[in-house]
Amino acid sequence: MMCHAFAGQAIPEHKSVVSLGFLTLAPLIAGLLCWWRGRAGAAQGWLLLALAMLLWAGGMAANVLVYLALGNVTGESIASMLLFVLYGVPIIFATASPTSEAWPVRLVDAILAAALGGLFFAHTSTFSTMAGASVEGAGKLARMFDIENVFIAVFALVRFSACRDAAERAFFKALSVYALLYLMTAAYINHWQENADFGDMVDVIIDLPFLALMVMAAHAQPTQDRPVQIPLRRERLVQAASPLMLPATLLAVATALVWTHPVWTMAGFALATLVYGLRNILAHLRNLEERDRLDALSRTDGLTALPNRRSFDVALQAEWARACRSGGSLAILMIDIDHFKQLNDRFGHPEGDCRLRDVAKALASCATRAGDFVARYGGEEFVAILPACDAHQARDLAEIMRLCVLNMALPSPAEGGVVTVSIGVGWGRMTKANTPEALLSRADEALYEAKRGGRNAVRLLEDLPFPNAAPG
């Protein structure tokens, strides 16, 4: 600011061009620092803020060209007015479109932000430029810029008040400070110094928000030792209300055009309604996909990618009910990795996890029928449901699984030097008097017999009485 003031006084005959140069350079430096901050891995909003600074600097550069070509130092060109209006678009987009949204939703938000910029410009172009407008028109034009600046400041403060993430909170804090300083500076220049020419000392005040932004953008990424205490209700309210910021602002600006540009007003209403509806559809689809993904995760074992115990319980109840209705049979295989504790103790848990994944893959590859179901039961135990098969078919598949694991020759500290499994087969014909728990208990008892008999074996205890089973 001191350099700006001194240079204007040192070269009074060129003070306008000197001042315009400083007013172009300040946002460019601020934008460069914002770009550097964004590229360094901070919040994505820094890159959008860098774009905003570039647009603002472009607007001031257009004024330089007007001055050099025409000697006009009293006002802005229509090109500079457009760039000054568009300057707010990426900032509004950064505040109103959460980065957590999917890219199609953010694309819709970008369309709304661009439409908002277009309506702002349609309104400002009604009054041409500050220099060419009447006193009444200049006042309306200044108020229009006030509205844009107020929206930016309010949106930034709202997001800052409900942000937990350290990087995003630092960005919205910087943006809030900058937006408030810019709001006050622009209001002072537009309402109380509207007749000042470029090159007057008042131009130095315009540097203030950009200098503040330079300092905040250059500051090292803050560390957050402990989470910020944000009321959950406020956080959820802001998350729910953020998507309304853009369409609500678009409707407000479109309403302001009703007397001067009724066609633009109708277009703004239609666009806000249709695009916001499209945004809701896309957001709802994403929510459904996320729900399905979470449901799948809740039913899948994270280590082996097999269905987990919860999925097994649901599948067993379903297959049991189906077998009871048809009077068919059902088999359950209880599978246990032999000497798994020794393997974990000798090779370590990471290697044990690898063995679990290898065994799970082998077991799943053996269950090739459409209705076969293999899951991780817990620890080193697996379980398989085999609907509509007789006892000998179930035993044969269990033997195939045992040999498949044995032939993989996975290293083990146990006797034999390779990983083996023991499998117990529970089988029976279903009646409504029986329970799935009884069948599971039968398979578990058969597994115990396989373990007691020396491991690396399959046992089918056909001679065990099946509780409450029908004869035959």
Side-chain angles (χ1 to χ4, degrees):
M1 290 178 69
M2 293 181 63
C3 292
H4 186 172
F6 175 77
Q9 295 301 314
I11 318 175
E13 65 274 16
H14 298 298
K15 64 178 184 178
S16 296
V17 127
V18 170
S19 185
L20 287 168
F22 273 97
L23 293 177
T24 303
L25 186 62
L28 278 178
I29 296 174
L32 182 62
L33 289 171
C34 289
W35 177 83
W36 167 80
R37 185 72 176 270
R39 293 284 294 175
Q44 296 179 17
W46 288 106
L47 297 177
L48 291 167
L49 190 52
L51 174 60
M53 294 299 104
L54 180 63
L55 290 169
W56 203 97
M60 196 55 67
N63 286 334
V64 175
L65 295 176
V66 169
Y67 173 76
L68 293 176
L70 305 176
N72 177 12
V73 298
T74 59
E76 296 86 357
S77 66
I78 196 69
S80 67
M81 193 67 67
L82 172 62
L83 291 170
F84 288 140
V85 169
L86 292 181
Y87 139 86
V89 171
I91 302 180
I92 291 176
F93 175 69
T95 55
S97 182
T99 55
S100 58
E101 295 287 5
W103 73 263
V105 176
R106 300 207 76 201
L107 178 61
V108 171
D109 289 341
I111 293 172
L112 282 174
L116 181 59
L119 289 185
F120 265 119
F121 182 67
H123 191 77
T124 56
S125 64
T126 303
F127 312 106
S128 183
T129 66
M130 293 288 283
S134 64
V135 174
E136 181 184 359
K140 291 182 178 179
L141 185 56
R143 285 192 293 274
M144 200 65 188
F145 278 115
D146 290 342
I147 292 172
E148 182 182 36
N149 295 333
V150 166
F151 278 142
I152 291 173
V154 170
F155 289 176
L157 285 169
V158 168
R159 290 297 303 276
F160 171 70
S161 70
C163 188
R164 293 179 187 270
D165 180 78
E168 286 202 350
R169 188 171 177 82
F171 167 71
F172 285 117
K173 179 181 179 180
L175 180 58
S176 298
V177 173
Y178 164 78
L180 288 172
L181 287 173
Y182 186 88
L183 170 64
M184 292 185 289
T185 301
Y188 176 72
I189 295 295
N190 292 339
H191 292 284
W192 286 280
Q193 298 292 334
E194 69 273 15
N195 294 321
D197 295 336
F198 286 117
D200 291 347
M201 285 298 295
V202 71
D203 287 358
V204 177
I205 300 175
I206 304 175
D207 293 331
L208 181 60
F210 301 112
L211 290 175
L213 183 58
M214 290 180 205
V215 173
M216 292 183 291
H219 193 271
Q221 179 68 29
T223 57
Q224 188 169 303
D225 297 328
R226 51 184 180 178
V228 178
Q229 297 300 317
I230 303 293
L232 183 59
R233 188 176 184 84
R234 183 202 304 170
E235 183 183 20
R236 289 178 174 174
L237 179 62
V238 171
Q239 288 176 347
S242 290
L244 288 172
M245 291 180 179
L246 279 171
T249 307
L250 187 62
L251 289 172
V253 176
T255 302
L257 294 170
V258 67
W259 301 113
T260 57
H261 294 80
V263 175
W264 284 84
T265 298
M266 296 303 297
F269 285 174
L271 188 65
T273 302
L274 293 176
V275 176
Y276 183 65
L278 175 60
R279 189 193 193 283
N280 280 344
I281 292 173
L282 293 173
H284 186 59
L285 286 174
R286 187 193 177 201
N287 289 339
L288 291 176
E289 291 171 355
E290 184 68 10
R291 185 189 67 183
D292 292 343
R293 186 185 70 84
L294 292 175
D295 182 67
L297 286 175
S298 71
R299 296 176 180 275
T300 303
D301 176 60
L303 178 63
T304 63
L306 288 178
N308 59 15
R309 173 70 178 271
R310 175 187 176 190
S311 294
F312 165 74
D313 291 340
V314 173
L316 179 58
Q317 293 291 338
E319 291 298 339
W320 179 273
R322 183 179 295 111
C324 286
R325 289 194 300 270
S326 64
S329 60
L330 187 66
I332 291 181
L333 309 183
M334 289 293 294
I335 307 158
D336 186 83
I337 300 178
D338 298 325
H339 303 293
F340 188 73
K341 185 178 185 302
Q342 291 183 30
L343 191 152
N344 262 341
D345 293 343
R346 176 73 63 84
F347 296 149
H349 288 280
E351 192 69 18
D353 290 344
C354 290
R355 297 293 177 267
L356 284 170
R357 284 191 288 267
D358 292 337
V359 171
K361 186 176 180 180
L363 297 177
S365 68
C366 296
T368 57
R369 297 189 314 159
D372 293 345
F373 183 90
V374 179
R376 186 181 180 190
Y377 195 68
E380 69 271 24
E381 285 190 317
F382 298 87
V383 65
I385 302 175
L386 310 178
C389 70
D390 60 34
H392 298 291
Q393 289 173 329
R395 183 180 57 193
D396 290 345
L397 179 57
E399 184 64 20
I400 290 173
M401 288 180 170
R402 184 190 70 81
L403 291 174
C404 182
V405 173
L406 179 65
N407 293 335
M408 290 172 67
L410 300 172
S412 171
E415 184 180 352
V418 297
V419 172
T420 60
V421 294
S422 298
I423 305 176
V425 183
W427 177 89
R429 294 190 179 278
M430 302 301 101
T431 68
K432 293 182 180 180
N434 297 319
T435 66
E437 289 75 19
L439 181 60
L440 190 61
S441 177
R442 185 182 182 91
D444 192 57
E445 189 171 352
L447 173 63
Y448 177 76
E449 289 296 321
K451 289 281 190 181
R452 190 169 58 182
R455 296 182 171 83
N456 188 26
V458 174
R459 289 291 183 270
L460 168 65
L461 304 183
E462 291 183 278
D463 56 334
L464 286 176
F466 191 52
N468 302 319

